[in-house]
Amino acid sequence: MRIESLSYSNAQTQGPERREWLRTHAAQHLEQCEAMYQLALHRRSASTSASIAVLGAGGCTEVPLVSLCRGADELVLADLDLAGMRRACDEQLKSPGQRRRMRLVECDLSGQVSGQLLRHTRRRRWDELSKQGSNAIFDAAAQCLEECLVSDPPVIDDLGSAQYGLVVSSLVMSQLFSYPILDLLDAIQAAAPELLGEQERHRRYQEAAQAFRLRVINAHLHLLRSLLDQDGLILLLSDVRGFAFNVYGTDHDASHRRDIPLVPRGFFDLVQEQFTVLEERHWEWITDLPENERLGRGYEVVGYLLTPR
């Protein structure tokens, strides 16, 4: 499963070296993230809890730990990548007082969705299904997604409930559903590599995948809400669209880039239905430059400051 190698991949793509790369190639991304954090701290009510939770903290590349420590009695970082969170604290927090306010929670924020889907995936005989053609393969894949249990909200005992004045979802939401879906497609590719990409033409699979994404998103939104103290705020930062481009400096040029949807349109409806939007900002950031035959990549991010309805 992809989440099992998360700590290794994060070590290659997050942390101080990555932050320096972003300052050169995607400074707006760091600036926008910092601005949203500062706005959340400023808008937080004095009547709410002074505890802060950051979900999906990872290597804290975009998380200003020092600023958050100054604004918190307790700062909780939650992620499956415990090693990355420890490295971030060692890098950013120099005083014993700051470190005493920290608590690290190692957890799967999806509520074990990857493991649940893997169990369904292993029950299928993909090699036999591949002999029956693409319809048989992707009908079975759709059924795996339809039957996969998604805890709503995920139960994460070490986080508690209703006790944080600020809850942050830090660029993690799309990973919660994309990793398990990619694991499923890996199983299909191993059995029938010639069908790679055929899922785009299979209606039932596409509908099942979208419904699965929305279930995971809804569960994550409910988790954020369940952690919130009365009068607290939610800061939701999420990738919503990816893009690939082939010439450096043309990442904003439609003729040189290909857009890749990441979240269903229903995501925006769910946010509007469940929360009052105090602030909404959109920006783009580059994650990889084009090199040789490899395309450059980037993402559009939405930043929401929210209160429950």
Side-chain angles (χ1 to χ4, degrees), residues 1 16 20 33 37 67 76 131 154 179 202 204 209 217 226-227 235-236 245 247 272 293:
M1 295 188 298
E20 286 303 314
C33 289
Y37 275 101
S67 296
V76 178
K131 298 173 184 177
Y179 284 3
H202 195 281
R204 181 184 172 190
I217 289 169
S226 73
L227 297 174
L235 174 58
L236 172 58
F245 59 100
V247 180
Q272 295 287 342
E293 299 299 316

Side-chain angles (χ1 to χ4, degrees), residues 127-139:
D127 52 345
E128 295 298 324
L129 289 166
S130 67
K131 298 173 184 177
Q132 302 173 39
S134 64
N135 283 342
I137 281 272
F138 290 110
D139 277 343

Side-chain angles (χ1 to χ4, degrees), residues 2 5 13 15 24 28 40 54 66 68 94 141-142 159 190 195 203 237 245 252 256 277-278 293-294 296:
R2 276 172 166 75
S5 60
T13 60
T24 301
Q28 182 193 21
V54 181
V66 174
L68 292 178
K94 304 304 181 183
L159 284 179
L195 296 181
R203 182 172 179 178
L237 304 174
F245 59 100
H252 292 284
H256 287 87
V277 178
L278 304 178
E293 299 299 316
R294 189 182 67 183

Side-chain angles (χ1 to χ4, degrees), residues 10 15 51 75 81 180 185 190 206 223 273:
N10 281 356
S51 294
L75 175 57
D81 182 11
L185 293 176
Q206 288 300 316
L223 173 62
E273 289 167 7

Side-chain angles (χ1 to χ4, degrees), residues 251-271:
D251 46 290
H252 292 284
D253 183 352
S255 65
H256 287 87
R257 62 186 261 174
R258 177 172 59 90
D259 288 342
I260 307 162
L262 292 180
V263 301
R265 290 201 58 81
F267 158 69
F268 303 98
D269 296 332
L270 288 172
V271 170

Side-chain angles (χ1 to χ4, degrees), residues 275-291:
F275 302 99
T276 298
V277 178
L278 304 178
E279 184 79 15
E280 176 179 352
R281 299 183 185 180
H282 294 256
W283 65 91
E284 293 186 349
W285 62 306
I286 297 173
T287 59
D288 297 279
L289 298 178
E291 184 178 356

Side-chain angles (χ1 to χ4, degrees), residues 6-309:
L6 186 65
S7 292
Y8 174 79
S9 59
N10 281 356
Q12 316 305 311
T13 60
Q14 296 187 15
E17 291 183 0
R18 183 61 170 174
R19 194 179 302 110
E20 286 303 314
W21 189 94
L22 291 172
R23 286 190 177 118
T24 301
H25 300 287
Q28 182 193 21
H29 175 57
L30 294 178
E31 292 164 1
Q32 290 280 16
C33 289
E34 174 73 20
M36 292 299 294
Y37 275 101
Q38 294 299 335
L39 181 63
L41 290 170
H42 177 72
R43 295 286 295 272
R44 183 183 49 173
S45 171
S47 64
T48 196
S49 167
S51 294
I52 297 173
V54 181
L55 311 189
C60 296
T61 307
E62 297 95 347
V63 181
L65 291 183
V66 174
S67 296
L68 292 178
C69 274
R70 288 173 182 155
D73 290 342
E74 179 187 46
L75 175 57
V76 178
L77 305 182
D79 198 287
L80 201 59
D81 182 11
L82 180 61
M85 293 189 292
R86 285 174 172 164
R87 284 193 299 269
C89 291
D90 290 341
E91 175 220 343
Q92 294 193 44
L93 303 179
K94 304 304 181 183
S95 77
Q98 291 172 334
R99 297 193 178 200
R100 281 194 294 270
R101 298 181 189 181
M102 297 295 306
R103 184 161 65 90
L104 307 184
V105 175
E106 182 182 12
C107 61
D108 180 350
L109 293 168
S110 74
Q112 308 297 324
V113 167
S114 287
Q116 293 284 348
L117 186 56
L118 182 63
R119 281 188 279 276
H120 289 282
T121 302
R122 285 177 171 169
R123 293 178 188 146
R124 268 61 181 189
R125 293 294 303 274
W126 299 106
D127 52 345
E128 295 298 324
L129 289 166
S130 67
K131 298 173 184 177
Q132 302 173 39
S134 64
N135 283 342
I137 281 272
F138 290 110
D139 277 343
Q143 189 174 10
C144 288
L145 292 168
E146 291 161 355
E147 295 177 354
C148 180
L149 175 65
V150 176
S151 299
D152 189 3
V155 177
I156 304 174
D157 293 334
D158 289 342
L159 284 179
S161 63
Q163 64 186 59
Y164 302 96
L166 175 60
V167 177
V168 181
S169 177
S170 177
L171 297 166
V172 70
M173 189 183 66
S174 63
Q175 297 176 17
L176 302 179
F177 57 76
S178 63
Y179 284 3
I181 288 176
L182 289 170
D183 288 338
L184 174 60
L185 293 176
D186 284 346
I188 294 172
Q189 185 178 1
E194 72 278 5
L195 296 181
L196 181 64
E198 286 293 314
Q199 70 272 14
E200 304 296 335
R201 302 181 179 89
H202 195 281
R203 182 172 179 178
R204 181 184 172 190
Y205 172 83
Q206 288 300 316
E207 291 176 349
Q210 284 294 74
F212 176 79
R213 293 180 183 104
L214 284 171
R215 284 195 290 142
V216 174
I217 289 169
N218 211 31
H220 187 62
L221 295 178
H222 291 162
L223 173 62
L224 299 178
R225 186 173 188 143
S226 73
L227 297 174
L228 207 60
D229 185 32
Q230 185 174 358
D231 299 327
L233 295 176
I234 292 169
L235 174 58
L236 172 58
L237 304 174
S238 178
D239 299 325
V240 294
R241 181 174 54 86
F243 57 88
F245 59 100
N246 57 11
V247 180
Y248 181 46
T250 63
D251 46 290
H252 292 284
D253 183 352
S255 65
H256 287 87
R257 62 186 261 174
R258 177 172 59 90
D259 288 342
I260 307 162
L262 292 180
V263 301
R265 290 201 58 81
F267 158 69
F268 303 98
D269 296 332
L270 288 172
V271 170
Q272 295 287 342
E273 289 167 7
Q274 299 182 35
F275 302 99
T276 298
V277 178
L278 304 178
E279 184 79 15
E280 176 179 352
R281 299 183 185 180
H282 294 256
W283 65 91
E284 293 186 349
W285 62 306
I286 297 173
T287 59
D288 297 279
L289 298 178
E291 184 178 356
N292 298 326
E293 299 299 316
R294 189 182 67 183
L295 295 174
R297 293 183 301 149
Y299 295 92
E300 179 188 346
V301 177
V302 64
Y304 285 118
L305 190 60
L306 308 167
T307 58
R309 287 190 181 277

